[in-house]
């Protein structure tokens, strides 16, 4: 097989799970090429990106600006390039003009990128397309697979499932047309099947995973009373609740400190909240950090705080990789019952579970782990065992490759 990974942007600081997956495939000998619809928008990236061998191609427009989302409003120059791309695709793809009918209702930019990708699929002899997130990357992969006559699959995560912007008919079409769909939790699987019925009948749950050779477990028995939290500073991460919980702990006279690693749109308001609560000497936002430094900071802390919430727009986390990483490293977690999180943070077994939007409950959980070293060790030991049994990336990506092979065999049989 030769697999084309289709991503909205590559690389992205927060999407280490995509990089981990690609590296595991490459370690198993799978040939991969990466197609990104847009260039990176960030200035800092995780160091593991340098280990990826797959070439990266950006589906750039040959003109300044964007191809309009409406064919009727294309500027003359943009329309010329759009038409030229379709002409080029038709030279490599049999029956392209007939196949183009399936693009009805799609944005012009999606059709343009799909035609470009389909031609590259033919030229590079790619046999399968896989996209992450059921948004624009999957829209492009779906059309390109139809044009080029190869199967496509995609992985559905969280925002692409639950956000208020998700169009039900569009998602149903993507689910129906994909050879197989992967999602990252049993919660997601049940939601998709209940919401989309037979269109989601072939969705399968395969957990994201970790390369456990990169995560040395360290007992949390002797850790300083430090809380760590890692993630983008946006609503669904629940960081304001963590800061309120820290204020409660401080009022109780609890001896602790809290480090928050990450950046995002809420940073100014979070810093103001810290100042208003008089927590400047206790709570520190230290910005984004390279992955190896994040791991060091996590393994120094007594507890990892993950007070995730469902955003007002429906946005929420699926199964955050940083939780898996913390558990693998031996840092016990306190989190909430958002989507698939209870599948990994099992209350009183592999971590502590508290209610969303409840700073007092969060403070109680954090205090329990800060002060009870026996509890820390018990939860951390059982958490590591769960990660080893369910979240080994080499075993889990082998299941993904099996789905790719099945899809390709079915395509060949149909031909």
């Amino acid at each position: 097989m030769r697999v084309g990974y289709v991503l909205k942007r590559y690389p992205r600081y927060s999407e280490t799970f995509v990089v981990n997956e690609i590296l595991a495939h490459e370690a198993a000998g799978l040939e991969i090429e990466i197609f990104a619809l847009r260039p990176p928008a960030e200035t800092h990236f995780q160091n593991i990106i340098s280990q990826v061998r797959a070439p990266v191609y950006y589906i750039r427009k040959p003109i300044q600006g964007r191809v309009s989302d409406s064919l009727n409003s294309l500027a003359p120059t943009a329309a010329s390039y759009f038409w030229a791309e379709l002409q080029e695709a038709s030279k490599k793809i049999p029956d392209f003009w007939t196949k183009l009918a399936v693009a009805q209702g799609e944005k012009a930019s999606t059709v343009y990128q799909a035609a470009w990708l389909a031609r590259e699929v033919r030229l590079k002899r790619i046999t399968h397309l896989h996209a992450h997130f059921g948004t624009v990357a999957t829209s492009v992969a779906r059309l390109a697979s139809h044009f080029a006559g190869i199967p496509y699959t995609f992985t559905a995560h969280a925002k692409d499932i639950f956000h208020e912007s998700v169009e039900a008919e569009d998602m149903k079409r993507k689910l129906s047309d994909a050879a197989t769909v992967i999602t990252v939790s049993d919660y997601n699987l049940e939601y998709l099947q209940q919401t989309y019925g037979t269109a989601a009948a072939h969705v399968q749950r395969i957990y994201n995973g970790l390369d456990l050779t990169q995560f040395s477990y360290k007992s949390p028995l002797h850790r300083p009373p430090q809380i760590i939290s890692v993630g983008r500073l946006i609503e669904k991460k629940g960081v304001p609740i963590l800061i309120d919980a820290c204020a409660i702990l401080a009022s109780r006279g609890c001896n602790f400190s809290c480090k928050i690693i990450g950046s995002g749109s809420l940073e100014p308001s979070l810093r103001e909240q810290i100042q208003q609560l008089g927590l400047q000497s206790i709570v520190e936002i230290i910005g984004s950090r390279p992955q190896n430094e994040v791991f060091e900071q996590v393994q120094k802390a007594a507890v990892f705080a993950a007070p995730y919430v469902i955003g007002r727009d429906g946005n929420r986390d699926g199964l955050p990789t940083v939780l898996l990483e913390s558990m693998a490293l031996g840092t016990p977690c306190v989190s909430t019952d958002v989507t698939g999180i209870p599948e990994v943070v099992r209350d009183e077994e592999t971590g502590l579970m508290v209610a969303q939007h409840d700073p007092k409950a969060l403070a109680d959980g954090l205090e329990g782990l800060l002060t009870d070293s026996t509890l820390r060790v018990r939860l951390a030991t059982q958490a590591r065992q769960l990660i080893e049994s369910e979240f080994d990336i080499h075993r889990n990506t082998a299941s993904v490759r099996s789905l790719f092979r099945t899809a390709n065999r079915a395509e060949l049989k149909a031909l």
Side-chain angles (χ1 to χ4, degrees):
M1 290 188 300
R2 291 176 61 83
V3 177
Y5 261 61
V6 186
L7 307 169
K8 182 178 178 180
R9 291 188 190 273
Y10 181 87
R12 295 194 74 172
Y13 180 87
S14 62
E15 294 180 2
T16 54
F17 53 88
V18 175
V19 180
N20 290 338
E21 183 176 303
I22 290 171
L23 287 172
H25 285 320
E26 291 185 332
L30 182 64
E31 292 186 71
I32 290 177
E33 306 208 16
I34 298 169
F35 298 93
L37 309 187
R38 302 174 188 173
E42 298 158 312
T43 57
H44 295 80
F45 303 104
Q46 303 291 12
N47 50 345
I48 60 168
I49 289 169
S50 64
Q51 301 172 30
V52 174
R53 298 192 303 271
V56 182
Y57 304 95
Y58 293 100
I59 311 180
R60 298 179 184 274
K61 310 294 190 301
I63 55 173
Q64 291 186 346
R66 298 176 57 205
V67 171
S68 170
D69 287 340
S70 169
L71 283 171
N72 293 328
S73 61
L74 283 173
T77 304
S80 297
Y81 280 115
F82 183 90
W83 183 248
E85 189 59 49
L86 297 187
Q87 297 272 34
E88 287 299 310
S90 70
K91 295 176 183 178
K92 295 293 181 181
I93 300 169
D95 301 323
F96 175 75
W97 299 112
T98 301
K99 292 177 176 180
L100 191 59
V102 80
Q104 184 175 359
E106 293 283 1
K107 294 180 178 180
S109 56
T110 300
V111 180
Y112 181 98
Q113 291 183 304
W116 185 96
L117 178 58
R119 186 162 57 89
E120 290 298 301
V121 162
R122 287 282 180 157
L123 291 171
K124 300 180 185 303
R125 300 183 183 278
I126 289 169
T127 61
H128 188 92
L129 291 174
H130 184 72
H132 270 275
F133 295 95
T135 52
V136 64
T138 296
S139 296
V140 171
R142 171 181 166 269
L143 288 185
S145 77
H146 179 75
F147 295 157
I150 65 169
Y152 85 96
T153 52
F154 71 96
T155 300
H157 292 269
K159 183 177 181 180
D160 54 326
I161 300 173
F162 303 111
H163 194 271
E164 63 184 7
S165 63
V166 175
E167 297 179 9
E169 286 304 311
D170 180 58
M171 176 60 76
K172 188 174 183 178
R173 184 165 56 242
K174 291 169 180 173
L175 291 168
S176 298
D177 290 351
T180 304
V181 178
I182 298 165
T183 195
V184 299
S185 71
D186 289 326
Y187 180 96
N188 287 4
L189 175 61
E190 183 178 355
Y191 175 87
L192 288 169
Q193 291 181 338
Q194 288 183 350
T195 304
Y196 297 102
T198 56
H202 60 314
V203 179
Q204 298 191 36
R205 188 270 289 156
I206 300 177
Y207 286 130
N208 289 334
L210 303 177
D211 182 352
L212 293 173
T213 65
Q214 304 299 312
F215 293 84
S216 298
Y217 176 85
K218 182 178 179 181
S219 170
L221 180 63
H222 302 294
R223 301 266 184 103
Q226 181 173 304
I227 301 167
I228 190 79
S229 185
V230 182
R232 288 178 293 154
L233 304 183
I234 57 177
E235 182 188 10
K236 68 179 181 178
K237 299 298 182 180
V239 181
I241 299 153
L242 171 59
I243 295 172
D244 285 342
C246 288
I248 294 171
L249 291 174
S251 71
R252 294 175 181 175
C254 183
N255 175 34
F256 77 100
S257 63
C258 177
K259 284 188 177 180
I260 300 169
I261 299 177
S263 58
S265 59
L266 293 185
E267 184 170 347
S269 64
L270 294 173
R271 291 190 180 277
E272 183 179 353
Q273 182 184 3
I274 291 168
Q275 186 173 8
Q276 288 178 346
L277 293 172
L279 300 175
Q280 299 95 317
S281 63
I282 301 173
V283 180
E284 182 183 13
I285 298 175
I286 64 174
S288 299
R289 290 290 187 270
Q291 192 175 49
N292 56 339
E293 184 179 337
V294 171
F295 293 167
E296 290 173 7
Q297 294 286 348
V298 168
Q299 206 161 47
K300 289 177 182 177
V303 55
F304 185 94
Y308 305 133
V309 300
I310 298 174
R312 287 163 290 184
D313 58 1
N315 195 11
R316 65 198 78 175
D317 269 304
L319 197 52
T321 302
V322 69
L323 275 178
L324 309 180
E325 293 168 342
S326 299
M327 294 167 71
L329 291 166
T331 303
C333 302
V334 180
S335 194
T336 56
D337 61 344
V338 173
T339 59
I341 291 172
E343 295 171 37
V344 61
V345 181
R346 300 172 182 175
D347 192 36
E348 296 286 350
E349 180 184 344
T350 63
L352 296 180
M353 186 67 58
V354 298
Q356 296 177 51
H357 302 286
D358 191 337
K360 182 183 180 300
L362 179 60
D364 292 343
L366 294 172
E367 186 173 18
L369 286 169
L370 288 169
T371 58
D372 189 341
S373 59
T374 301
L375 178 63
R376 289 201 303 269
V377 171
R378 178 173 67 82
L379 296 181
T381 301
Q382 293 171 171
R384 174 71 190 206
Q385 291 170 351
L386 176 63
I387 296 300
E388 290 177 353
S389 65
E390 298 288 338
F391 294 90
D392 181 283
I393 196 160
H394 297 292
R395 184 163 55 244
N396 293 3
T397 52
S399 298
V400 174
R401 289 191 297 279
S402 178
L403 295 180
F404 292 171
R405 285 192 292 270
T406 299
N408 277 264
R409 284 196 296 268
E411 186 74 19
L412 288 173
K413 187 176 180 180
L415 294 174

